[in-house]
Amino acid sequence: MLRFLSQRNQKKILSVLAVIALVLILAGAGALYQTRFGPVVTTTGEITDWGLSFPTPGQPPVGNASSEDLEALSARFLGDVSDPTIYLTFDAGFENGHTAAILDALKKHNAPAAFFLVGNYFQTAPDLVRRMVAEGHVIGNHTMNHPDMSKISDMDAFQKELQGVEDLYREVVGSDMPKLYRPPQGKFNLENLKQAQQLGYTTVFWSLAYVDWYADNQPTKQQAFDKLLPRIHNGAIVLLHSTSETNAQILDELLTKWEQAGYKFGNLTDLIIDSAITE
C-alpha cells in the first residue's frame, strides 16, 4: 500500500508506526516489571490500595510494593522472614464490646499486640486504652477521623489527622504516643508515605488479613481458620479488627494453633527499632 503514496506521506506513516511500536515495547516492559516485582510506588498522585497475593501457602506474600521500596520511606509490611515470629495488630474505628475478650486471650498467651486506634476510641473507651498500655500492648495511630488519606495532599491537613490522635493519647495515657501509623483502608500514595516519614512515623501495612470488619456479616469460625491458618508465615504482620465478634471468639484457639505450629509473638515496636538499627 505504501508504494501508492508519496514519499513524504510514506515517511509520515512510518514515523507514526515507529512511535506506536515504541509505546507498545515500553508498555510490555512495564507489565513485565510489574509481574515480577509488583507495582512500584513512584508517582506522587498515584492512589494505591494495599494489596497482597499468596503464591505459595505458608510462605510470605507478595505485596504491591516491595519491602525495599517501602523501607526507604519508613514503611513495612513484613518482619524477618527467617524468624517464626508473628506480630499481631488490631484496627479499631470504634468499640462494640469485643475488645475485652481479645485482651483476655492476648494476656493468656502473653502475646503483645499493636492496636491502631481512631480518635473517637480514646474519647469513648479510655479505660480500654489504658488497659492496653498497662498490659504491654502498643497503640498506633489510625488517624483522627478515618478518612481516605491518599486524597489529602496538604501537609498541614495530613499532620492534623495524626496530631489529633497524639493529643488524645497524651490526655488518656499521660505520655507521648509511639510513632506507628496505619492508613485507613490501606489507602496511600507516595506523598503520604513521605509525609508520615517527615513526621517521624513508620507506616505499618500487613502481610495477612481477612474480611472480618463487617459487624453484621461476620465470618464463621471455620471461614476464619481457613484464611488465617494456611497463610501464616515467618515475620507475619497480622491485621485483625477488634470489632469482630468472630475474632473475640476464636482468638484463644487461633493463638494456640499458631503456637503449636512453632510460632511466637513479637512486639511490633521491637521490630521497628531493630530494623532502624540494622539500616
Side-chain angles (χ1 to χ4, degrees):
M1 182 181 291
L2 289 179
R3 63 191 180 90
F4 294 108
L5 300 175
S6 67
Q7 186 175 9
R8 183 178 180 181
N9 286 336
Q10 288 182 27
K11 289 182 178 179
K12 286 183 178 180
I13 293 173
L14 290 173
S15 296
V16 171
L17 291 173
V19 170
I20 292 173
L22 179 60
V23 170
L24 292 174
I25 290 171
L26 291 175
L32 176 61
Y33 188 89
Q34 179 168 320
T35 299
R36 293 184 61 193
F37 304 104
V40 179
V41 184
T42 56
T43 305
T44 299
E46 180 185 357
I47 296 174
T48 304
D49 293 316
W50 177 247
L52 299 165
S53 62
F54 291 82
T56 307
Q59 294 298 314
V62 177
N64 61 356
S66 72
S67 293
E68 293 75 16
D69 287 340
L70 290 175
E71 288 176 10
L73 293 166
S74 300
R76 67 182 312 119
F77 76 100
L78 267 175
D80 183 350
V81 297
S82 67
D83 181 12
T85 297
I86 299 170
Y87 301 91
L88 301 170
T89 72
F90 294 85
D91 285 3
F94 57 95
E95 173 55 37
N96 63 349
H98 299 306
T99 303
I102 287 172
L103 288 170
D104 289 345
L106 293 171
K107 186 174 183 178
K108 177 179 178 180
H109 291 264
N110 194 28
F115 288 84
F116 288 88
L117 305 181
V118 171
N120 74 77
Y121 199 96
F122 297 87
Q123 300 165 324
T124 60
D127 290 342
L128 282 173
V129 174
R130 285 188 282 265
R131 180 183 171 184
M132 291 171 188
V133 175
E135 294 183 359
H137 306 299
V138 63
I139 308 295
N141 200 321
H142 204 37
T143 73
M144 191 67 187
N145 300 296
H146 204 265
D148 179 349
M149 295 293 278
S150 66
K151 295 181 179 179
I152 299 178
S153 58
D154 179 70
M155 181 59 163
D156 288 340
F158 187 93
Q159 183 174 8
K160 186 177 180 180
E161 280 290 336
L162 300 185
Q163 185 66 54
V165 177
E166 292 177 17
D167 293 342
L168 289 171
Y169 180 94
R170 193 175 294 107
E171 290 176 15
V172 172
V173 179
S175 60
D176 290 336
M177 187 174 194
K179 293 284 190 173
L180 301 174
Y181 160 63
R182 173 167 286 161
Q185 303 175 70
K187 291 184 179 294
F188 72 102
N189 58 34
L190 177 61
E191 190 60 30
N192 290 158
L193 298 183
K194 288 181 178 179
Q195 289 166 328
Q197 185 180 45
Q198 289 167 10
L199 294 173
Y201 276 88
T202 295
T203 300
V204 182
F205 293 106
W206 57 89
S207 63
L208 177 59
Y210 79 118
V211 181
D212 62 348
W213 56 85
Y214 295 115
D216 57 351
N217 186 24
Q218 281 288 287
T220 66
K221 170 183 173 180
Q222 192 57 50
Q223 287 171 333
F225 283 164
D226 287 346
K227 292 292 185 181
L228 296 172
L229 294 178
R231 289 183 172 180
I232 196 62
H233 50 272
N234 287 356
I237 296 179
V238 181
L239 164 60
L240 300 171
H241 284 79
S242 60
T243 53
S244 166
E245 181 179 7
T246 298
N247 289 341
Q249 293 174 347
I250 71 169
L251 189 60
D252 180 20
E253 185 177 355
L254 177 65
L255 299 185
T256 298
K257 289 180 179 295
W258 278 340
E259 287 171 328
Q260 290 172 344
Y263 292 99
K264 57 186 178 180
F265 307 109
N267 189 305
L268 185 63
T269 303
D270 293 338
L271 171 64
I272 301 303
I273 292 174
D274 291 344
S275 299
I277 292 175
T278 57
E279 289 178 358

